[in-house]
Amino acid sequence: ALLLTLILIVIVETFAFHILLGRWSEIIAWIATGLSVYTGFQLLGFAKSLSKRPIEINANSLKLKYGIMSEVEIPTEIIESVELSRKEMMENPLHKSLSPLGELEGHNVILHLKQKHSLVGLYGFRKEFEKLAIHVDEAKVFVEAVDSKLNRFN
């Protein structure tokens, strides 16, 4: 809803800005309008990608995605534990959130790893972590499913 509101603001602002710039230069007004329309399409694409946040629990890995913003595939053997938790994580460069919005969005599950692993963010930027905070709709079901996979290896 927030992103769709932002897209609406871009549309209204584009119209007003086009009229204002059109008094000065028609060419500049159309260039700015084109850039604003392009930005609106990018925001729309981002908003649509947020609904695509699948979680895959395979025999050997756990795949997590946050739209186009971040994704990670964690081998099951490096997962130490998984816990239900909404408490804030301590400030530590190796404590990350799957969501780029971090604490604004919140989390309900924390994955603890035995070793460092990389999270792939927007534009392929990698971030190392040992603890990963995520938000899962059915957190208890997720924790039970991951725990059952972990018990096979222990």
Side-chain angles (χ1 to χ4, degrees), residues 81-89 107-112 132-147:
S81 64
V82 58
E83 71 171 307
L84 288 171
S85 175
R86 292 184 182 272
K87 65 182 178 182
E88 286 188 38
M89 293 197 309
H107 63 273
N108 56 5
V109 175
I110 299 176
L111 293 169
H112 301 272
L132 184 67
I134 60 174
H135 181 81
V136 180
D137 291 336
E138 296 178 20
K140 290 181 182 178
V141 174
F142 173 77
V143 169
E144 289 171 4
V146 173
D147 276 338

Side-chain angles (χ1 to χ4, degrees), residues 2-94:
L2 182 63
L3 284 172
L4 293 177
T5 304
L6 187 59
I7 291 170
L8 181 64
I9 290 170
V10 167
I11 291 169
V12 171
E13 181 182 89
T14 298
F15 178 72
F17 199 55
H18 178 82
I19 292 172
L20 180 67
L21 280 178
R23 293 179 182 186
W24 178 61
S25 171
E26 279 292 316
I27 295 172
I28 300 288
W30 281 109
I31 291 172
T33 299
L35 290 173
S36 293
V37 169
Y38 180 70
T39 301
F41 281 127
Q42 284 185 328
L43 289 172
L44 182 63
F46 175 68
K48 289 184 70 108
S49 78
L50 287 178
S51 66
K52 311 292 187 233
R53 297 193 276 183
I55 294 174
E56 271 185 56
I57 303 174
N58 299 322
N60 300 323
S61 68
L62 172 65
K63 292 182 183 179
L64 305 167
K65 292 184 180 182
Y66 191 85
I68 61 172
M69 297 302 289
S70 59
E71 65 182 51
V72 64
E73 183 173 356
I74 305 170
T76 312
E77 65 266 5
I78 69 167
I79 299 175
E80 184 176 329
S81 64
V82 58
E83 71 171 307
L84 288 171
S85 175
R86 292 184 182 272
K87 65 182 178 182
E88 286 188 38
M89 293 197 309
M90 296 184 329
E91 287 291 324
N92 185 326
L94 293 176

